């Protein structure tokens, strides 16, 4: 995908054990582009940015005693404006309209997907260039009455995020 789209190459990825507001406030002291690509829960965000900017961020995180882990960046800058260079490729993809209308929440808007095929397609494209709002999505689903959350697949990282987000409230 990188070879076909204009996506910056000198990027780094870091997993941070803090909330998005705390981390976003640190961006002001950094020279270079940084983006929170995933706001997963109150104690975990993922940051993508220019390598130099991420290096500056990790210095600040270390000074403040905030847990961080540099991660391999084996994929483009998904879920940030840095992925805008792939928009044309995504829009050119053949999309199949949904055949069933089941309410599905978008972690881009933290609300249900629209019902119209063109709007679903547009939101699906936008998802690649906008932050994953997992925390806000779980909050919105909870406010809408969801009390049972099921993680499908190996591991349990999303279950741990839900535990962190809904701590102290009734849910399964």
């Amino acid at each position: 995908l990188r070879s076909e789209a204009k996506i910056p190459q000198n990027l780094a990825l870091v997993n941070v054990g803090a909330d998005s507001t705390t981390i976003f406030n640190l961006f002001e002291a950094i020279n270079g582009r940084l983006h929170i690509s995933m706001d997963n829960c109150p104690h975990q965000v993922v940051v993508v940015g220019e390598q130099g900017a991420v290096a500056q961020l990790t210095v600040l995180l270390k000074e403040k005693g905030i847990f961080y882990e540099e991660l391999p960046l084996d994929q483009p800058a998904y879920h940030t404006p840095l992925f805008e260079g792939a928009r044309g490729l995504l829009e050119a993809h053949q999309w199949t309209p949904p055949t069933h209308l089941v309410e599905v929440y978008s972690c881009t808007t933290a609300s249900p997907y629209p019902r119209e095929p063109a709007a679903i397609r547009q939101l699906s494209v936008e998802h690649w260039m906008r932050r994953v709002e997992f925390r806000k999505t779980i909050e919105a689903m909870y406010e809408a009455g969801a009390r049972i959350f099921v993680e499908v697949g190996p591991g349990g990282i999303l279950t741990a995020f839900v535990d962190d987000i809904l701590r102290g409230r009734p849910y399964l």
Side-chain angles (χ1 to χ4, degrees), residues 133-149:
E133 299 283 5
F134 188 76
R135 180 181 52 82
K136 289 180 182 176
T137 302
I138 296 300
E139 290 282 1
M141 291 172 70
Y142 191 86
E143 288 299 315
R147 295 297 182 270
I148 299 174
F149 298 85

Side-chain angles (χ1 to χ4, degrees), residues 15-16 38-46 67 69 71 134-135 138 149-165 171:
N15 179 22
V16 183
M38 293 179 230
D39 182 357
N40 289 324
C41 62
H43 296 97
Q44 202 243 15
V45 297
V46 177
F67 169 82
E69 176 185 22
L71 302 170
F134 188 76
R135 180 181 52 82
I138 296 300
F149 298 85
V150 179
E151 180 170 356
V152 178
I157 191 77
L158 299 178
T159 299
F161 293 163
V162 171
D163 287 343
D164 193 21
I165 295 163
Y171 71 95

